[in-house]
Amino acid sequence: MSQARRQARRQELIGCHDCGNGVSFSAVACPHCGSTEPAGPVVQSRRELRRLRIEATNDRRLIIVTAVCTGLGAAYGAVMGGGGAASWWAALGYGFVGAVIGVPAAFVINISRSLFD
């Protein structure tokens, strides 16, 4: 093997984060120690961490707004129903309508909040 070829082969290898032995950059695991992250843990930038926090907040807000709208719809249906089984069916129907309204409402809230942040 020529010197240039050996040097190119050596450049393909990185030092395993856990054991320090050479491992291919594209390897799924280190063949020496079995580490599943031979290149080391992923380090995220501040911008990426902020984006992930915003997405998590938006997800929570979506669930909360949808649950509140569903609960209000179900309560309204139960109160306005004719009593007995009719109240249960009205609660289910209005609860579903509340959920259908809650998802787009949460979406609009999330979009409008991201415009002002």
Side-chain angles (χ1 to χ4, degrees):
M1 193 181 292
S2 70
Q3 178 70 17
R5 208 171 236 213
R6 266 185 266 149
Q7 187 173 5
R9 179 91 171 129
R10 210 175 298 128
Q11 288 176 349
E12 290 177 2
L13 300 178
I14 59 171
C16 176
H17 180 72
D18 293 326
C19 69
N21 291 321
V23 62
S24 172
F25 184 74
S26 61
V28 176
C30 176
H32 306 285
C33 68
S35 172
T36 57
E37 293 185 12
V42 176
V43 179
Q44 296 174 332
S45 67
R46 285 185 175 187
R47 184 176 184 185
E48 182 69 15
L49 289 172
R50 182 175 184 269
R51 188 183 66 77
L52 290 173
R53 278 193 306 271
I54 289 171
E55 287 181 10
T57 302
N58 287 346
D59 292 344
R60 281 191 304 274
R61 191 175 297 125
L62 175 74
I63 292 169
I64 290 169
V65 170
T66 303
V68 166
C69 289
T70 302
L72 289 174
Y76 178 78
V79 169
M80 300 307 285
S87 290
W88 283 102
W89 285 109
L92 285 174
Y94 280 106
F96 178 74
V97 170
V100 169
I101 291 171
V103 172
F107 176 76
V108 169
I109 292 169
N110 286 339
I111 294 297
S112 65
R113 288 188 54 86
S114 68
L115 292 175
F116 299 112
D117 285 342

